[in-house]
Amino acid sequence: MPRFEQDSDVRALGEALAGLRRDRGLSQAEAGARLGMTSQGWGLYEAGKRPGLFRPDVQRRLTAALDASPEDLALAAARIAADVPVAPPARGVESGGRGWGGAPVLAPALESASIERLQLSNDDLAPWAASGVVLEFDPGRWPRRDQGCVIDLTDGSRLIRLYDRADADRLYLRGGPGGLNAETVLDRGRAARVAAVIARLDP
C-alpha cells in the first residue's frame, strides 16, 4: 500500500479526523470505544492507512462518534490540504467521557429522535447540494461557518442556506436563487428555529 499511504488527500482526511477528536478532548482509545474498535484501529484511520476513510458510511460512523458530521470532516480536511489552521469548533471543547452510552456498533450513526430530513427541490445551493439531495438536519445544533442550515421562519416558511456568520440582530447566509454567491441577510426576529445540516444524502 505504499502509494495509498503517500496520498495527500488521505493524510488530510486522517489529520482532520484527529483534529476533530482532539477538539472534543477524547483519546484514540475513547473514540474507538464508542464504535467498538481499539485505539490502534482508530489510529490507522487517523494515520491515513485505511482506504475505507473515503467511504461515506465509514465517515458517518467515525464522525458520529465525535458528535460531528462528514461535512465537518470534509471542511477540516480542506483547510489542512490548503495549509490553513483549523479553528476550534464554535461550541468549544466537549467530551462525552465515561458517561457516553453510545449507539450499537451496527446501528445507523445518525439515528436520533431530533434528526429531521428534507429533500431539495431546486438548485439554489448547487454545487454544494442540488435538487433531489436529501438533507439531514439537527434542530438542536447551531451551524458553523460554511455549514448548511435549515431556518424555519416565523411566517411558517423555510430557508435552506449556507451559514456564514451572525451578530446580535442578523444572520448572514449564502445561497438562494442567485446561487452560492448570493448573500441573504435575515433579521433574527424572523427566525423561529435554526438547525445545522449534518448530512447530505445523494438520491
Side-chain angles (χ1 to χ4, degrees):
M1 292 223 195
R3 190 178 65 78
F4 174 80
E5 292 173 6
Q6 293 171 1
D7 189 325
S8 61
D9 292 335
V10 177
R11 283 199 308 273
L13 270 177
E15 288 177 29
L17 183 66
L20 290 175
R21 174 184 56 75
R22 286 191 296 268
D23 288 341
R24 281 141 182 89
L26 296 173
S27 68
Q28 288 182 342
E30 290 171 322
R34 292 181 172 193
L35 295 177
M37 72 172 64
T38 64
S39 60
Q40 291 86 358
W42 185 278
L44 288 173
Y45 282 115
E46 289 187 356
K49 295 185 177 179
R50 282 198 169 170
L53 192 52
F54 275 114
R55 289 176 37 194
D57 59 324
V58 171
Q59 289 182 9
R60 284 181 143 216
R61 286 184 66 229
L62 293 171
T63 56
L66 301 175
D67 190 30
S69 70
E71 182 183 32
D72 297 331
L73 181 65
L75 289 171
R79 289 187 186 108
I80 289 168
D83 202 25
V84 176
V86 178
R91 60 183 176 267
V93 175
E94 295 178 354
S95 173
R98 294 187 187 108
W100 193 83
V105 175
L106 299 177
L110 295 173
E111 206 170 300
S112 167
S114 66
I115 303 302
E116 298 180 31
R117 287 184 175 186
L118 66 82
Q119 185 172 31
L120 294 178
S121 59
N122 58 50
D123 290 326
D124 287 355
L125 295 177
W128 183 80
S131 179
V133 169
V134 173
L135 301 180
E136 285 187 341
F137 57 99
D138 184 351
R141 187 182 298 188
W142 187 266
R144 292 189 293 280
R145 186 170 188 156
D146 295 325
Q147 186 172 12
C149 62
V150 177
I151 303 172
D152 291 328
L153 302 178
T154 53
D155 65 5
S157 60
R158 177 174 271 176
L159 284 178
I160 298 98
R161 298 288 189 267
L162 291 186
Y163 179 81
D164 187 53
R165 65 191 188 283
D167 58 31
D169 302 313
R170 297 175 187 84
L171 300 174
Y172 298 89
L173 313 163
R174 291 188 296 112
L180 284 183
N181 292 326
E183 183 179 64
T184 302
V185 180
L186 181 70
D187 288 337
R188 276 184 179 259
R190 292 186 57 208
R193 183 179 78 165
V194 180
V197 172
I198 58 173
R200 292 169 287 177
L201 310 175
D202 292 326

